[in-house]
Amino acid sequence: MKELQARASELDTSDPLAAQRERFVLPDGVVYLDGNSLGALPAAVPEALADGVHRQWGVGLIRSWNEHHWWQAPLRVGDTIGQLLGAAPGQTVAGDSTTVQLFNGLAAAARLRPGRRLLLTDPGHFPTDGYIADSVARLLGLEVLRVAPDDLPRCLAERGHEVAVAGYSPVDYRTGELHDMPAITRAVQEAGGLMLWDLCHATGALPVRLDELGVDLAVGCGYKFLSGGPGAPAFIYIARRHQAAFDHPLTGWNGHVDPFGLSGDYVPAPGVDRARIGTPPILSLLALEAALTAFEGVGMEQVRAKSLSLTGFFMDCADTLLDGLGFTVVTPREPHRRGSQVALRHPDAYPLVRALAARGVIGDMRAPDLLRFGVNALYVSHRDMLTAVRHLRQAVTQGEHRDPRFLHRAAVT
Amino acid sequence: MKELQARASELDTSDPLAAQRERFVLPDGVVYLDGNSLGALPAAVPEALADGVHRQWGVGLIRSWNEHHWWQAPLRVGDTIGQLLGAAPGQTVAGDSTTVQLFNGLAAAARLRPGRRLLLTDPGHFPTDGYIADSVARLLGLEVLRVAPDDLPRCLAERGHEVAVAGYSPVDYRTGELHDMPAITRAVQEAGGLMLWDLCHATGALPVRLDELGVDLAVGCGYKFLSGGPGAPAFIYIARRHQAAFDHPLTGWNGHVDPFGLSGDYVPAPGVDRARIGTPPILSLLALEAALTAFEGVGMEQVRAKSLSLTGFFMDCADTLLDGLGFTVVTPREPHRRGSQVALRHPDAYPLVRALAARGVIGDMRAPDLLRFGVNALYVSHRDMLTAVRHLRQAVTQGEHRDPRFLHRAAVT
């Protein structure tokens, strides 16, 4: 225990990102390990949003579409996100929800591969990805195959020539397992299909290198590791080579080549701005834009190094302090095989997560038995890791997971 | 002129809604007649949004989905909007953009009428409505007919048996003409089709009576007469009788019967909440929710009466002050035939709108030659009407529409 304390202290002292915590507002006495569900409040957001409300909306009124550059916000914020993903400017647009971006991107991707009738998706995906694949397949007369990442080589060998598009996430949202993005991208493309990555659990958490890997399309959300606020706008990345042929179903006026010409036929803008849909939620976009300043001067390699150090240390703490208490570490131990979270399996996951919250340690759970602890390297410390595991040990040893207060199920966990 | 001043003063003195202006923050020296494009800032918004940021997001973090009822926000805000539309609770959901709601609603409506292959839309519609009809038709193998409201009886007599759904707007966004909602709804339904209304220019501007008219579906935006902020969330209304069969393409996890069960198959929620899509933009929803409090204690009949008084008085001012200056009043004179705006035709519409803005009167224009003046009865006065028309007269008589400062075209008007 003393040793772990000493190590936490040492790691935090030599942490080159330690000062970034000042860029966030966190309540006293809370260890926040749910930034993979909703990122903490960046300190720059309140002022930016107040300015957006008072000066831009209140005083500028309709003129702010020009004078405060609201019209450019989806592309401007998109490019800033693109920087974190290794995407050159002009390929990323922010707006709408991940669900909507997935739908639009998946349908457009399938249309780029006419004659191929398979959509591949991960049976372990966050459910929306599967639902949307099913919906797109139904509309376009295609077939969805749910193929685990490990089974992809076999599937592609057999039916690769039929694959239009494969939609996968690099990080398993439950276990935190990190799949091999370069290998999967290559395999799908070698079979002639397009690769669409769902980056919800990767954006802002680890380097992605979209351009370098030659990824075709990607989507992701703004409210997890980007800390853009509850339900922050999502984004879509369309590799430049696909933009001119990107033929999407959500043909809103914002994506028209001449939006204010108000012509009756939809003629898409030539570049990535064709993926703009309707009028974007400017207040939420301004909050996201301010949140992204927390990444200024920070390299994604640094974020990744600290994230791995945090999750590695968490697992070491768990090995030492949770031994014999019914927990299994589900997240892979090898650094190259894990994202930015640690998942523990325990039959009492639900009451334990609630007991932890009562102790000021906020994680979350995924049914039926996983406790998830996400780490955002910009505001989480090694000391936080040890504190969390110590509280977990105390909660179990003191039987809090059998406390009726924590057994009653709330509407949302 | 003196007479018009006296009349403005008299009408404003006896205006039962005069006090509502206090519910909005308007910059000094500005007459704001573009609330049909972006509503002014309601005074309740800044505090509600600051609370949403600091206390709910910053302190509550992920817990606020429960503790501050974020999860219920789309339905709660939807029901509040529904009240303004004559819709009983449980039929309206707020979220996403109008484009997205239109797409989802139109596709679901078409699926409710299998075997019928026509989608009817207005050639004079805001362009997105036509684009989305074309997109849905392409996906579902249907045909779009662009039929002006006046031609609907003839079209329905000939091909009514083929009509799946008709999507119309009660108010022409350019001219302000108000179409006969009850008659159109009845005619479409008598032909066996479904009626989908785009209420962008009606919501918060006039009584709509969705339930009473037996409308099938409706969508609309939050940022015009609802004053919910730039790009505020839109909404969809699904009449209760259609909800169980509402089969939409945007099958996001928020619309699942058991969203946190995270099951692999999409099973929609039984009620209107199936029209929830992805995670909603909470900050923008909280702003919209606060904005809607400006309607508390105000009946839509009162709003309508004042709106008609304002637009009627505007036209009287135009008749008197703009005579012989090249303007034509395009908006119908009969009260039952106009919405909540006045449109004037003038060959120099663009520089005139800019010259007016420099004088502190903010309207907008629609290509090629329409000046639009929208009135929001909650914060516009009869005196504002006279001020606007006087400035317009002065701008023309002083040749400001030929001033090079106002001829250069900005990116967005």
Side-chain angles (χ1 to χ4, degrees):
Chain A
M1 184 65 195
K2 276 268 165 69
E3 265 174 55
L4 290 169
Q5 266 173 331
R7 221 176 113 211
S9 175
E10 192 184 311
L11 288 166
D12 286 340
T13 305
S14 61
D15 170 16
L17 296 184
Q20 306 307 315
R21 191 179 176 117
E22 296 302 312
R23 294 185 178 181
F24 292 84
V25 180
L26 284 155
D28 290 336
V30 163
V31 171
Y32 192 58
L33 303 179
D34 208 11
N36 54 334
S37 190
L38 172 64
L41 172 62
V45 165
E47 197 182 320
L49 204 51
D51 181 70
V53 169
H54 289 285
R55 195 171 60 99
Q56 299 184 30
W57 175 12
V59 178
L61 294 159
I62 190 72
R63 298 169 290 200
S64 292
W65 282 103
N66 281 321
E67 290 174 14
H68 293 108
H69 312 291
W70 288 350
W71 183 260
Q72 290 78 22
L75 300 169
R76 194 171 66 231
V77 176
D79 278 345
T80 306
I81 295 171
Q83 275 181 20
L84 303 178
L85 300 172
Q91 302 179 103
T92 312
V93 176
D96 298 283
S97 68
T98 310
T99 305
V100 168
Q101 297 289 13
L102 252 177
F103 178 85
N104 218 25
L106 204 54
R111 283 175 172 165
L112 284 168
R113 288 291 180 270
R116 288 174 166 249
R117 57 181 313 278
L118 289 187
L119 304 185
L120 304 188
T121 188
D122 186 347
H125 236 328
F126 185 77
T128 288
D129 296 74
Y131 305 158
I132 291 296
D134 289 337
S135 177
V136 167
R138 178 178 167 201
L139 286 167
L140 298 180
L142 307 175
E143 183 188 343
V144 176
L145 281 190
R146 286 170 160 78
V147 181
D150 291 346
D151 287 337
L152 266 176
R154 192 184 47 73
C155 169
L156 290 169
E158 285 172 23
R159 304 188 64 183
H161 59 287
E162 295 177 77
V163 173
V165 51
Y168 282 76
S169 170
V171 182
D172 185 302
Y173 76 104
R174 296 157 310 173
T175 64
E177 180 178 356
L178 176 63
H179 301 299
D180 189 340
M181 269 187 84
I184 293 175
T185 303
R186 204 164 43 237
V188 169
Q189 291 178 339
E190 279 173 3
L194 293 180
M195 187 72 226
L196 184 158
W197 285 105
D198 176 342
L199 301 177
C200 283
H201 286 269
T203 309
L206 44 91
V208 171
R209 291 184 286 269
L210 288 177
D211 286 348
E212 189 188 319
L213 297 184
V215 167
D216 299 296
L217 294 153
V219 301
C221 81
Y223 52 80
K224 296 180 188 290
F225 293 96
L226 297 184
S227 306
F235 65 86
I236 187 166
Y237 160 91
I238 308 171
R240 201 177 304 280
R241 66 188 176 283
H242 292 307
Q243 292 174 4
F246 186 83
D247 180 13
H248 55 300
L250 289 164
T251 48
W253 73 288
N254 275 231
H256 197 281
V257 64
D258 180 19
F260 293 89
L262 301 171
S263 82
D265 292 317
Y266 184 75
V267 182
V272 75
D273 34 342
R274 68 174 54 192
R276 301 175 67 137
I277 303 173
T279 304
I282 292 295
L283 299 181
S284 290
L285 268 173
L286 294 180
L288 173 57
E289 183 167 36
L292 291 169
T293 63
F295 285 92
E296 281 176 5
V298 177
M300 285 309 300
E301 296 294 346
Q302 282 181 298
V303 169
R304 176 65 170 155
K306 179 170 174 190
S307 160
L308 286 174
S309 176
L310 289 165
T311 51
F313 183 62
F314 188 103
M315 291 190 280
D316 291 347
C317 294
D319 290 343
T320 305
L321 299 176
L322 302 181
D323 190 37
L325 296 177
F327 292 93
T328 314
V329 175
V330 170
T331 304
R333 302 275 174 164
E334 308 94 304
H336 70 280
R337 289 192 55 224
R338 68 176 188 263
S340 198
Q341 69 177 56
V342 176
L344 304 179
R345 177 161 284 135
H346 191 284
D348 298 310
Y350 180 75
L352 277 176
V353 162
R354 296 198 63 200
L356 271 185
R359 290 168 164 273
V361 176
I362 302 178
D364 65 16
M365 63 90 61
R366 285 296 173 260
D369 58 3
L370 288 184
L371 296 92
R372 288 199 316 178
F373 301 96
V375 304
N376 185 320
L378 297 184
Y379 56 77
V380 169
S381 67
H382 295 83
R383 191 195 160 100
D384 287 339
M385 301 287 91
L386 179 56
T387 304
V389 178
R390 280 174 58 191
H391 276 294
L392 193 49
R393 176 186 172 80
Q394 289 169 13
V396 174
T397 54
Q398 293 174 24
E400 291 173 13
H401 49 306
R402 286 187 278 273
D403 186 325
R405 279 186 303 155
F406 303 131
L407 287 166
H408 173 69
R409 210 163 187 89
V412 184
T413 57
Chain B
M1 183 67 197
K2 277 269 166 69
E3 266 174 56
L4 290 169
Q5 267 173 331
R7 222 178 111 211
S9 174
E10 193 184 310
L11 288 165
D12 286 339
T13 305
S14 61
D15 169 16
L17 297 184
Q20 307 306 313
R21 190 179 176 116
E22 297 301 313
R23 295 186 177 182
F24 292 83
V25 180
L26 284 155
D28 291 337
V30 163
V31 171
Y32 193 59
L33 303 179
D34 208 10
N36 53 335
S37 190
L38 172 64
L41 172 63
V45 166
E47 197 182 321
L49 205 50
D51 181 68
V53 170
H54 290 284
R55 195 172 60 98
Q56 299 183 31
W57 176 12
V59 178
L61 293 159
I62 191 71
R63 299 169 290 202
S64 292
W65 282 104
N66 280 322
E67 290 174 14
H68 293 106
H69 312 290
W70 288 350
W71 184 259
Q72 289 79 21
L75 301 168
R76 193 170 67 230
V77 176
D79 278 345
T80 307
I81 295 171
Q83 274 181 20
L84 303 178
L85 300 172
Q91 301 179 103
T92 313
V93 175
D96 297 283
S97 68
T98 311
T99 305
V100 168
Q101 298 288 13
L102 253 176
F103 178 85
N104 219 25
L106 204 53
R111 283 174 172 166
L112 284 167
R113 287 293 180 268
R116 288 173 167 248
R117 57 180 313 278
L118 289 187
L119 305 184
L120 304 187
T121 187
D122 186 347
H125 235 327
F126 185 77
T128 287
D129 296 73
Y131 305 158
I132 291 296
D134 289 337
S135 177
V136 167
R138 179 178 165 201
L139 285 166
L140 298 180
L142 307 174
E143 182 188 345
V144 177
L145 281 189
R146 286 170 159 78
V147 180
D150 291 347
D151 287 338
L152 267 176
R154 192 185 45 75
C155 169
L156 290 168
E158 286 172 22
R159 304 188 63 181
H161 60 287
E162 296 177 75
V163 172
V165 50
Y168 283 76
S169 170
V171 182
D172 185 301
Y173 77 102
R174 295 158 309 173
T175 66
E177 180 177 357
L178 176 63
H179 302 299
D180 188 338
M181 269 188 83
I184 293 175
T185 302
R186 202 164 45 238
V188 168
Q189 291 178 340
E190 279 174 2
L194 294 180
M195 187 72 224
L196 184 156
W197 285 105
D198 176 343
L199 300 176
C200 283
H201 286 270
T203 309
L206 44 91
V208 172
R209 291 185 286 268
L210 288 177
D211 287 348
E212 189 187 319
L213 297 184
V215 167
D216 299 295
L217 293 154
V219 301
C221 80
Y223 52 80
K224 295 180 188 292
F225 294 96
L226 297 184
S227 306
F235 65 85
I236 188 166
Y237 160 92
I238 308 170
R240 200 176 305 280
R241 64 189 178 281
H242 292 307
Q243 291 172 5
F246 186 82
D247 179 12
H248 56 301
L250 289 164
T251 47
W253 73 288
N254 275 229
H256 197 280
V257 64
D258 180 18
F260 293 89
L262 300 171
S263 82
D265 292 317
Y266 185 74
V267 182
V272 76
D273 34 343
R274 68 174 54 192
R276 301 176 68 138
I277 303 174
T279 304
I282 292 295
L283 299 180
S284 291
L285 268 173
L286 294 179
L288 172 57
E289 182 166 37
L292 292 168
T293 63
F295 286 92
E296 281 175 5
V298 177
M300 285 309 301
E301 296 294 346
Q302 282 181 298
V303 169
R304 176 66 171 157
K306 180 171 173 191
S307 160
L308 285 173
S309 175
L310 289 165
T311 51
F313 183 61
F314 187 105
M315 292 190 279
D316 291 347
C317 293
D319 290 343
T320 304
L321 300 177
L322 302 181
D323 190 38
L325 296 176
F327 292 92
T328 314
V329 175
V330 170
T331 303
R333 302 279 174 163
E334 309 94 304
H336 72 278
R337 288 191 56 223
R338 67 175 188 264
S340 198
Q341 70 178 57
V342 176
L344 304 178
R345 178 162 283 137
H346 191 284
D348 298 309
Y350 179 75
L352 278 175
V353 162
R354 295 199 62 199
L356 271 185
R359 289 166 164 275
V361 177
I362 302 179
D364 66 15
M365 62 92 59
R366 284 296 173 259
D369 57 2
L370 288 185
L371 295 93
R372 289 198 316 178
F373 301 97
V375 304
N376 185 320
L378 298 184
Y379 56 78
V380 169
S381 67
H382 296 83
R383 189 196 162 101
D384 289 337
M385 302 286 93
L386 179 55
T387 304
V389 178
R390 280 173 59 190
H391 277 293
L392 192 49
R393 176 186 172 81
Q394 288 170 12
V396 173
T397 53
Q398 295 175 22
E400 291 173 13
H401 50 306
R402 286 188 278 274
D403 186 323
R405 278 186 303 155
F406 303 133
L407 287 165
H408 173 71
R409 211 165 186 87
V412 185
T413 58

